[in-house]
Amino acid sequence: MSRRQVRRVGDSGSFPFVGALHSKSRSSPLLSVCLVLVGACLLIGYAYSGPGMFKSIREVSKITGDYSCTAEVQRAIPVLKSAYGDTMRKVLHVGPETCSVVSSLLNEEETEAWGVEPYDVEDADSNCKSLLHKGLVRVADIKFPLPYRSKSFSLVIVSDALDYLSPRYLNKTVPELARVASDGVVLFAGNPGQQKAKGAELSKFGRPAKMRSSSWWIRFFSQTNLEENEAAIKKFEQAASKSSYKPACQVFHLKPLH
């Protein structure tokens, strides 16, 4: 219904929907109800296309789908600090929405943090733009070698990004993450059954997310000569138990490449 048509129903010169609701004309109750429903639909459409909190919600959904392991990383930071101790002094995070993780890590005492964003940051907020300007966050295609020297970081944390890579690229990317770590890699992966990247977002990620089982990842680590860090696994489980933390994503702890 056009704007002109709506005004014909209400009082002359009044706002369309107000006029429809308060008009003393002979409009039927059914027509008034229809106008209210149309107005509600228009308001919802505006909320999802305009600025404000609805846009923020939409942007998070666009990046992470139904659940975000990147958000899980932020929940896990206190547990990781307890488990890894001084190893958390120089951290690299790799994954979508890395600016939020880097910001959280920088708030921790005696922790330096950097991030690699695998996807575009056209809609980055002012905080993310600042991190990009300072060089603390950079955009890079993780299917290719990372722009860092070996053992540049004490700990590397990766979330969400690997779920969108095929085994062809995982064979190169995961060992590359282990190459730039001096003490270890923490890998947050989605659980089978979790849904990520709906059809509308496939143009951004390139492919649908693949939720792989823990047994698949363990076989993958063995095939790529990557070792799980049993000592870190034990410390993480103990720290998680003490704080009643139950991760919603799979968490793997790997030794660095030497």
Side-chain angles (χ1 to χ4, degrees):
M1 179 176 292
S2 69
R3 187 178 182 88
R4 178 175 299 175
Q5 289 172 318
V6 174
R7 283 187 174 177
R8 287 177 182 173
V9 177
D11 292 330
S12 176
S14 64
F15 187 76
F17 299 114
V18 176
L21 290 174
H22 298 285
S23 174
K24 296 182 180 179
S25 65
R26 297 178 181 177
S27 301
S28 68
L30 179 60
L31 182 57
S32 297
V33 171
C34 290
L35 287 171
V36 171
L37 291 176
V38 170
C41 291
L42 291 174
L43 288 174
I44 292 172
Y46 173 78
Y48 275 89
S49 62
M53 60 182 243
F54 291 102
K55 181 178 180 182
S56 299
I57 293 171
R58 184 187 61 174
E59 294 302 325
V60 171
S61 176
K62 181 173 69 173
I63 298 292
T64 61
D66 286 352
Y67 191 80
S68 166
C69 285
T70 296
E72 187 67 25
V73 170
Q74 295 184 72
R75 287 184 58 226
I77 287 177
V79 181
L80 290 169
K81 288 278 287 185
S82 179
Y84 281 89
D86 293 339
T87 301
M88 290 280 288
R89 66 186 180 279
K90 194 173 183 181
V91 182
L92 173 70
H93 174 260
V94 178
E97 298 296 298
T98 191
C99 289
S100 60
V101 176
V102 170
S103 295
S104 296
L105 288 168
L106 290 174
N107 288 330
E108 299 291 323
E109 292 184 4
E110 300 180 356
T111 299
E112 297 179 90
W114 290 261
V116 172
E117 169 62 62
Y119 308 105
D120 67 74
V121 287
E122 293 179 357
D123 299 323
D125 58 22
S126 58
N127 176 62
C128 192
K129 289 179 180 178
S130 176
L131 293 172
L132 286 163
H133 180 72
K134 294 176 181 177
L136 295 176
V137 170
R138 64 172 66 190
V139 178
D141 190 338
I142 61 173
K143 294 191 295 292
F144 300 97
L146 294 173
Y148 303 108
R149 295 179 180 179
S150 296
K151 302 181 182 180
S152 293
F153 308 95
S154 56
L155 188 69
V156 174
I157 302 172
V158 59
S159 59
D160 288 321
L162 300 182
D163 292 331
Y164 296 95
L165 295 183
S166 66
R168 171 189 174 188
Y169 291 113
L170 284 174
N171 290 334
K172 300 176 181 179
T173 300
V174 181
E176 182 68 6
L177 296 171
R179 178 187 68 80
V180 300
S182 63
D183 295 319
V185 176
V186 184
L187 192 161
F188 286 75
N191 281 303
Q194 286 180 340
Q195 183 180 1
K196 294 185 181 181
K198 300 175 184 178
E201 285 80 49
L202 294 185
S203 60
K204 183 179 184 70
F205 296 108
R207 56 180 284 122
K210 179 71 173 179
M211 303 294 103
R212 302 173 173 96
S213 65
S214 60
S215 59
W216 188 96
W217 281 109
I218 291 171
R219 287 196 302 271
F220 171 79
F221 298 146
S222 177
Q223 293 167 359
T224 51
N225 298 316
L226 294 168
E227 291 185 65
E228 288 193 86
N229 190 333
E230 298 296 338
I233 292 173
K234 185 176 181 179
K235 290 180 180 179
F236 183 83
E237 290 177 346
Q238 291 174 343
S241 178
K242 288 181 179 178
S243 60
S244 300
Y245 167 74
K246 295 181 180 180
C249 295
Q250 299 182 86
V251 184
F252 300 96
H253 305 263
L254 305 176
K255 292 182 179 180
L257 289 180
H258 294 296

